[in-house]
């Protein structure tokens, strides 16, 4: 059942479980809980956007699908946009559906440094990944839909003898229309809005959209349900009682804010905010690239994932987002635009050491984040190797987009990137993949939730999204988020 | 509605009639109506940021090339030089304001079907 908050009046209802958030975590938990026969409500702050409403234009998509029109930013030495989906299905609607199982080397610190080997056992996660990959028909991006910008990374990596492969994705029927970022118009991408949410609804789950949870209602040390407001005219209230539990799956930004608004107090709440900063580079080729043909992110290079803590990914962006990065003003800018059909974009995705914070602010979440010297060293190395990959693939020039360096670098000049300024403000970055703001720990003093996903000191309140991750993971996290949420849901059924 | 100063900035960044194979600029492709929609829809920080970017471009950018403001006093070539100097400024905030200006313009301009067609975009 679907309740559309844009048209709703006041609502009061009761369920076994109330899940806040409909993205990778919330929908995966809903899939497991609804399957068990429990009554489930999923509450999504954003709208339900039908496939037919998707457009390949950035501005309407940002308005409709992204938090804060994609202008939410973390501040520190640099202002860094933080991209989050805000619609039914969350970020899975606007990401590139990339599938990575949590590598053992990234899981090991969870076990060895954070004592979570039993709470988040890798073997059980693999079992859940098997299930998800079967259900969502995960497959590597086939060559037929690589397009030139993906194929060239293959060529460059082969020449450098660097490990690279077509990305595995939840998009078996992808047509290579390069529109992941603005919502797949063909329904090929198995976002949660296309997969686990309809499944949960078919099993009786209720989904509320345009419904913003303000806080968890506590009675003593017990979570009774959630209180919130619909986004419709007059912002009517809703109150959902949860007989067995409230599950927060609202993301590493919103989950700690809801916990704070609910009176949860922990020195770790909103701290340890971690992410994967992304820094893109434009490569210019003599041959036409036609970035609009090919799977949005169909190839990635993981050769330096462990040694350098970064991955290099292809990405296709609509003209709106590329033209602004081209140099110049006036006629010189228009001249630069002629190169758009010959441009490919590859980006460094950094597994940063940096930890920031999420706090409530006057106009929304206040995010603080600053890359340190180790991160900047890895970023510069990543950018140099990205340029080398481009040149190995035949690029005639790259536009590094780094303040303090020439606008263009030509073959033989990639080394300059390693000597770029040691100042985060010199780089154009975005933050995606957010973690750690309500982290799990077996020690009461070590985190916000325990190994059972329960918020310490409160019965019936659980966090099941990437807020619980004690570290960032260096690979695209949707697959891990889904498996961890399913693991949590399984445990709740068991208990 | 764009102020006269804001129109000067927009015209200097993407001149009417276009150039280099792009058939039109920002104002003749309807940036003004996009701007109104942007003002209605964008979060406050973005709206204020864009206003600050216009102000900086109009009043501050000429100083970066040692000319007296405002931007409207300069010839077209100098206007372009002044705006480009924002992008090269040692001050991070000035560079960010310039990027915000270009981004806001491109959110409209890059979606314009005639511009996309000129770039080879098939849809």
């Amino acid at each position: 059942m679907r309740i559309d908050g844009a048209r709703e009046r006041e609502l009061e209802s009761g369920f076994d479980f109330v899940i806040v958030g409909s993205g990778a975590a919330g929908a995966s938990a809903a899939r497991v809980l609804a399957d068990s026969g429990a009554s489930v409500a999923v509450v999504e702050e954003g709208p339900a956007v039908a496939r037919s409403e998707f457009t390949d234009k950035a501005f309407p998509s940002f308005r409709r699908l992204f938090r804060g029109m994609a202008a939410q930013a973390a501040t520190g030495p640099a202002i860094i946009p933080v991209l989050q989906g805000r619609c039914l299905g969350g970020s899975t609607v606007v990401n590139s559906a990339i599938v990575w199982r949590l590598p053992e080397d990234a899981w090991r610190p969870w076990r060895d440094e954070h004592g979570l080997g039993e709470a988040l056992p890798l073997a059980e996660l693999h079992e859940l990944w098997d299930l998800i990959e079967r259900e969502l028909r995960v497959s590597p991006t086939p060559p037929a839909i690589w397009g030139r910008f993906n194929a060239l990374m293959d060529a460059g990596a082969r020449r450098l003898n660097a490990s690279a492969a077509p990305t595995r994705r939840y998009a078996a029927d992808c047509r290579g229309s390069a529109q992941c970022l603005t919502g797949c118009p063909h329904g090929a991408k198995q976002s949660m809005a296309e997969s686990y949410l309809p499944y949960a609804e078919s099993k009786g789950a209720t989904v509320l959209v345009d419904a913003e949870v303000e806080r968890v209602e506590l009675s003593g040390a017990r979570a009774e349900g959630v209180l919130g407001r619909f986004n419709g005219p007059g912002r009517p209230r809703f109150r959902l009682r949860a007989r067995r539990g409230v599950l927060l799956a609202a993301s590493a930004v919103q989950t700690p804010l809801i916990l704070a608004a609910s009176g949860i107090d922990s020195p770790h709440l909103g701290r340890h905010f971690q992410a994967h900063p992304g820094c893109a580079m434009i490569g210019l080729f003599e041959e036409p690239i036609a970035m609009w043909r090919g799977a949005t992110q169909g190839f990635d290079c993981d050769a330096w994932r462990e040694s350098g803590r970064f991955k290099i990914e292809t990405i296709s962006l609509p003209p709106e987002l590329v033209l602004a990065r081209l140099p110049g003003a006036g006629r010189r800018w228009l001249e630069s635009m002629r190169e758009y059909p010959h441009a490919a974009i590859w980006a460094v995705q950094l597994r940063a050491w940096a930890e920031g914070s999420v706090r409530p602010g006057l106009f929304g979440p206040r995010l603080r984040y600053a890359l340190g010297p180790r991160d900047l060293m890895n970023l510069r190395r990543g950018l140099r190797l990205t340029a080398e990959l481009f040149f190995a693939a035949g690029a005639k020039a790259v536009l590094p987009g780094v303040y303090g360096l020439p606008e263009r670098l030509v073959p033989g000049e990639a080394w300059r990137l390693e000597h770029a300024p040691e100042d985060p403000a010199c780089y154009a970055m975005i933050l995606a993949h957010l973690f750690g703001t309500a982290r799990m720990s077996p020690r009461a003093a070590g985190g916000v939730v325990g190994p059972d996903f329960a918020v310490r000191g409160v019965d019936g309140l659980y966090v099941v999204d990437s807020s619980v991750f004690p570290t960032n993971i260096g690979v695209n996290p949707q697959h891990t988020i889904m498996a961890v949420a399913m693991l949590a849901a399984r445990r709740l059924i068991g208990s | 509605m764009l102020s006269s100063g804001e129109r000067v900035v927009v015209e200097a960044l993407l001149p009417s009639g276009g150039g280099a194979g792009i058939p039109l600029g920002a104002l003749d492709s309807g940036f003004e109506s996009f701007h109104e929609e942007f003002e209605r829809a964008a979060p406050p920080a973005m709206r204020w940021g864009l206003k600050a970017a216009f102000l900086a471009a109009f009043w501050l950018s000429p100083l970066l090339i040692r000319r007296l403001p405002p931007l409207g006093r300069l010839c077209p070539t100098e206007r372009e030089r002044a705006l480009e100097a924002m992008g090269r400024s040692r001050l991070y905030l000035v560079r960010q304001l310039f990027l915000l200006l270009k981004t806001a313009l491109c959110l409209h301009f890059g979606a314009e079907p005639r511009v996309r067609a000129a770039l080879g975009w098939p849809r």
Side-chain angles (χ1 to χ4, degrees):
Chain A
M1 186 169 100
R2 184 76 55 88
I3 296 174
D4 183 348
R7 292 190 291 272
E8 197 58 37
R9 293 170 175 275
E10 302 227 338
L11 173 79
E12 182 152 353
S13 195
F15 301 88
D16 290 331
F17 295 100
V18 174
I19 301 171
V20 183
S22 70
S28 302
R31 179 235 171 276
V32 172
L33 294 174
D35 223 13
S36 76
S39 67
V40 175
V42 179
V43 192
E44 168 55 48
E45 177 189 0
V49 183
R51 198 189 299 165
S52 59
E53 294 177 72
F54 293 149
T55 159
D56 64 355
K57 294 183 168 58
F59 182 64
S61 305
F62 284 177
R63 277 179 70 177
R64 199 94 170 101
L65 303 175
F66 282 80
R67 178 166 297 283
M69 233 175 79
Q72 173 178 252
T75 56
I79 302 165
I80 312 178
V82 180
L83 300 184
Q84 290 189 287
R86 182 184 171 274
C87 57
L88 189 67
S91 295
T92 68
V93 175
V94 292
N95 71 12
S96 302
I98 298 174
V99 173
W100 266 82
R101 293 189 179 202
L102 178 67
E104 185 164 355
D105 58 270
W107 174 80
R108 230 175 281 130
W110 291 14
R111 181 192 63 191
D112 300 341
E113 294 165 29
H114 298 274
L116 297 174
E118 285 181 26
L120 303 169
L122 196 57
E124 197 172 349
L125 292 174
H126 275 292
E127 187 194 313
L128 288 161
W129 287 320
D130 289 340
L131 171 76
I132 297 167
E133 289 172 24
R134 251 193 335 270
E135 290 186 337
L136 302 191
R137 297 167 56 226
V138 169
S139 58
T141 307
I145 56 158
W146 281 1
R148 286 306 288 156
F149 63 98
N150 288 312
L152 284 166
M153 179 176 275
D154 184 38
R158 282 177 196 277
R159 281 188 199 122
L160 293 186
N161 205 18
S163 157
T167 50
R168 299 171 72 236
R169 300 181 307 143
Y170 316 97
D173 300 322
C174 176
R175 303 180 192 181
S177 60
Q179 284 177 259
C180 284
L181 185 69
T182 49
C184 179
H186 312 297
K189 177 165 69 178
Q190 293 301 289
S191 75
M192 295 299 101
E194 294 280 352
S195 54
Y196 282 166
L197 289 168
Y199 178 84
E201 282 178 285
S202 75
K203 296 280 178 178
T206 298
V207 175
L208 283 75
V209 293
D210 268 320
E212 183 179 352
V213 168
E214 293 176 330
R215 65 184 172 89
V216 178
E217 194 173 22
L218 300 176
S219 170
R222 163 107 204 140
E224 296 285 337
V226 300
L227 293 171
R229 286 180 182 275
F230 290 118
N231 292 327
R235 303 209 70 212
R237 289 192 165 280
F238 63 85
R239 175 188 216 167
L240 305 177
R241 290 183 309 281
R243 288 182 285 272
R244 295 174 63 184
V246 173
L247 281 68
L248 296 184
S251 88
V253 174
Q254 275 67 45
T255 288
L257 297 181
I258 293 171
L259 286 170
S262 310
I264 304 299
D265 192 18
S266 162
H268 298 283
L269 187 61
R271 290 182 57 209
H272 315 297
F273 172 57
Q274 295 170 70
H276 293 152
C279 193
M281 182 183 292
I282 297 173
L284 298 172
F285 292 80
E286 290 288 354
E287 63 170 304
I289 300 299
M291 220 189 301
W292 50 85
R293 278 199 297 267
T296 304
Q297 293 197 270
F299 225 87
D300 66 6
C301 171
D302 66 342
W304 302 281
R305 186 182 60 75
E306 285 187 73
S307 67
R309 294 177 69 91
F310 59 82
K311 219 155 60 79
I312 303 172
E313 300 175 338
T314 60
I315 185 164
S316 163
L317 297 173
E320 295 97 304
L321 305 183
V322 182
L323 300 185
R325 284 281 307 269
L326 298 176
R331 282 160 299 180
R332 199 168 80 86
W333 192 17
L334 287 164
E335 279 288 337
S336 317
M337 291 182 190
R338 293 175 64 175
E339 297 186 295
Y340 175 78
H342 296 264
I345 301 180
W346 297 348
V348 175
Q349 178 189 297
L350 187 68
R351 185 183 180 197
W353 294 99
E355 289 196 1
S357 64
V358 176
R359 298 269 182 267
L362 206 55
F363 301 105
R366 192 157 52 88
L367 311 177
R368 302 282 299 173
Y369 190 79
L371 290 180
R374 278 189 301 179
D375 291 327
L376 287 169
M377 189 181 72
N378 288 334
L379 177 63
R380 290 197 304 265
R381 184 171 171 231
L383 289 171
R384 173 177 67 80
L385 288 160
T386 305
E388 285 184 2
L389 265 179
F390 265 131
F391 293 138
K396 62 177 183 180
V398 297
L399 307 180
V402 178
Y403 177 73
L405 289 185
E407 259 173 24
R408 275 165 203 262
L409 299 177
V410 294
E413 291 186 328
W415 62 271
R416 282 174 173 266
L417 282 152
E418 208 135 4
H419 300 277
E422 294 184 27
D423 176 359
C426 294
Y427 302 83
M429 289 179 278
I430 55 113
L431 290 188
H433 310 165
L434 315 174
F435 314 94
T437 49
R439 76 180 186 186
M440 179 185 281
S441 172
R443 295 179 299 111
V448 178
V449 307
D452 56 357
F453 294 88
V455 173
R456 289 190 179 280
V458 184
D459 288 336
L461 178 57
Y462 307 90
V463 178
V464 301
D465 62 21
S466 61
S467 310
V468 304
F469 290 13
T471 67
N472 62 9
I473 60 178
V475 295
N476 309 67
Q478 181 180 333
H479 214 35
T480 305
I481 292 170
M482 291 172 73
V484 166
M486 287 174 134
L487 188 76
R490 273 184 173 184
R491 300 233 173 108
L492 283 173
I493 297 164
S495 68
Chain B
M1 212 169 116
L2 289 169
S3 70
S4 57
E6 288 168 344
R7 291 176 69 89
V8 168
V9 173
V10 171
E11 186 61 18
L13 273 168
L14 287 171
S16 294
I22 310 278
L24 64 177
L27 289 176
D28 52 350
S29 64
F31 178 74
E32 190 129 18
S33 55
F34 168 82
H35 180 255
E36 282 171 23
E37 195 185 343
F38 182 91
E39 286 280 301
R40 277 196 304 273
M46 214 167 167
R47 288 202 310 270
W48 299 335
L50 186 59
K51 281 189 193 306
F54 273 123
L55 281 173
F58 193 66
W59 290 104
L60 173 73
S61 70
L63 296 172
L64 301 175
I65 59 162
R66 297 169 190 279
R67 295 286 184 276
L68 286 175
L71 190 72
R73 289 182 67 246
L74 310 185
C75 71
T77 310
E78 284 187 325
R79 289 180 194 182
E80 290 177 9
R81 274 185 55 220
L83 291 172
E84 285 210 25
M86 284 182 76
R88 288 192 301 270
S89 169
R90 272 185 293 180
L91 297 173
Y92 175 61
L93 187 63
V94 174
R95 296 201 304 273
Q96 285 298 105
L97 290 175
F98 182 60
L99 182 63
L100 179 58
L101 262 182
K102 289 179 76 168
T103 303
L105 254 71
C106 285
L107 281 176
H108 160 71
F109 193 65
E112 158 63 40
R114 285 166 292 177
V115 173
R116 284 188 164 193
L119 298 172
W121 188 274
R123 290 180 286 264

